[in-house]
Amino acid sequence: MPFSDLIKLVLLAAIWGGSFIFMRVAVPELGVVVTASLRVTIAGLALLGFARLQAVPMLWRANVRSYAIVGFFSAAFPFSCFSYASQFLPTAYSAVLNATAPLFGALFSIVWLADRLTVRKLSGLLLGIIGVAILVGAGALDLNPQTLSGALACLAAAASYAISSILMKKVGQNKPVGDAAPTGIHPYAMACGSMLLGGVMLAPAVPFSLPHHIPSPTAVACMIALALLATGVAQAIFIPLISRIGPTKAMTVTFLIPMFSMLWGYLFLHETVSISTIVGAAIILSAMGLILNAAAAPKPALK
């Protein structure tokens, strides 16, 4: 991987690690639906302005279906899930469960893309399940319907991210061959279109989910940072990376997000990090290493 792409992945991890902080502050005052809706809509409008400055063709009529599908799986659904989970889970838990995205990516590749089930990949899948069980079942949190539903929401969001990465690679712009023009949707157009369509999907529920009180300046500031920095800027960096280095390598960013989330949660929200959290995170990240290495260098399939 080029060094510049590695730097971008570290920057993304730092930004996305902070997104869980922003949600923990914004959601209690703005609500789940309003937070998710404002996040994607503001980010989409900012990306639209950026796309126009770059003279990127949106080609709405030809691409609206792809924008809508990717917008659902990469924005509307997972952002709503993480906003919901932020009410019940510390930032470190949400970030670690988010790191299971490559786990789901490997599983979906086996089920939907007829990918080979290697010993290394099977070990990674089993190890990932054990890590999630330790994190949720042996953590410092009291197990109750709310915390369990928050954990399930995070896992559903991670699965959705895995699906969106596969879709974005499939419809994204491919490198030209010889003198041929690039094919597929431009990465910036995909980032913009998917966010805007994700916002459209959430908009009908907003009037029924408005906050009862005027949000504080801190909550508003976190909402703006969540939309512009953790979504707009991050998507403008991440989607081109998927097109350039592929979804498997791009999803290695999930290795670093929990570390930054734990750091930001400790510094700004004074959250404690338990031993079980660290153990569960280490096991999950080890599982991701097995899966990603297996994807990079396939072994003979199990019979």
Side-chain angles (χ1 to χ4, degrees), residues 73-74 78 98 100-109 112 155-168 247 251:
F73 286 107
S74 70
N98 175 65
T100 59
L103 182 76
F104 286 105
L107 182 61
F108 295 154
S109 295
W112 293 337
L155 291 173
S160 187
Y161 281 148
I163 294 172
S164 71
S165 293
I166 294 173
L167 292 172
M168 282 188 281
M251 281 196 294

Side-chain angles (χ1 to χ4, degrees), residues 29-245:
E29 297 192 41
L30 293 169
V32 173
V33 174
V34 173
T35 299
S37 180
L38 287 176
R39 178 180 183 180
V40 293
T41 302
I42 295 173
L45 292 173
L47 287 167
L48 179 61
F50 179 75
R52 288 185 174 178
L53 288 175
Q54 298 295 317
V56 174
M58 293 298 300
L59 303 175
W60 285 101
R61 183 172 296 181
N63 298 330
V64 66
R65 183 172 179 270
S66 296
Y67 292 155
I69 295 173
V70 173
F72 176 81
F73 286 107
S74 70
F77 180 71
F79 290 176
S80 298
C81 288
F82 278 122
S83 293
Y84 171 80
S86 69
Q87 302 173 103
F88 313 118
L89 299 179
T91 57
Y93 277 70
S94 296
V96 172
L97 291 172
N98 175 65
T100 59
L103 182 76
F104 286 105
L107 182 61
F108 295 154
S109 295
I110 293 169
V111 176
W112 293 337
L113 302 180
D115 198 5
R116 292 183 299 177
L117 180 61
T118 65
V119 173
R120 181 176 292 180
K121 192 171 292 185
L122 178 61
S123 300
L125 290 170
L126 295 175
L127 193 61
I129 294 171
I130 293 172
V132 171
I134 291 176
L135 179 72
V136 176
L141 293 178
D142 293 330
L143 288 182
N144 55 55
Q146 290 180 324
T147 55
L148 287 175
S149 66
L152 289 174
C154 288
L155 291 173
S160 187
Y161 281 148
I163 294 172
S164 71
S165 293
I166 294 173
L167 292 172
M168 282 188 281
K169 179 62 177 177
K170 184 176 181 179
V171 302
Q173 193 172 82
N174 299 316
K175 295 180 180 179
V177 178
D179 296 328
T183 59
I185 303 174
H186 191 286
Y188 292 147
M190 176 58 75
C192 169
S194 62
M195 289 297 111
L196 288 175
L197 267 293
V200 169
M201 293 176 195
L202 292 171
V206 171
F208 305 99
S209 310
L210 295 174
H212 299 293
H213 305 285
I214 297 176
S216 67
T218 300
V220 173
C222 286
M223 180 67 258
I224 294 173
L226 183 64
L228 295 180
L229 179 62
T231 309
V233 172
Q235 288 295 317
I237 296 172
F238 185 61
I239 290 182
L241 272 178
I242 292 176
S243 298
R244 188 162 57 252
I245 66 177

Side-chain angles (χ1 to χ4, degrees), residues 269-297:
L269 297 182
H270 308 292
E271 293 181 348
T272 58
V273 180
S274 66
I275 296 298
S276 60
T277 304
I278 296 174
V279 171
I283 292 175
I284 290 172
L285 296 181
S286 298
M288 297 309 101
L290 287 172
I291 290 171
L292 291 169
N293 285 334

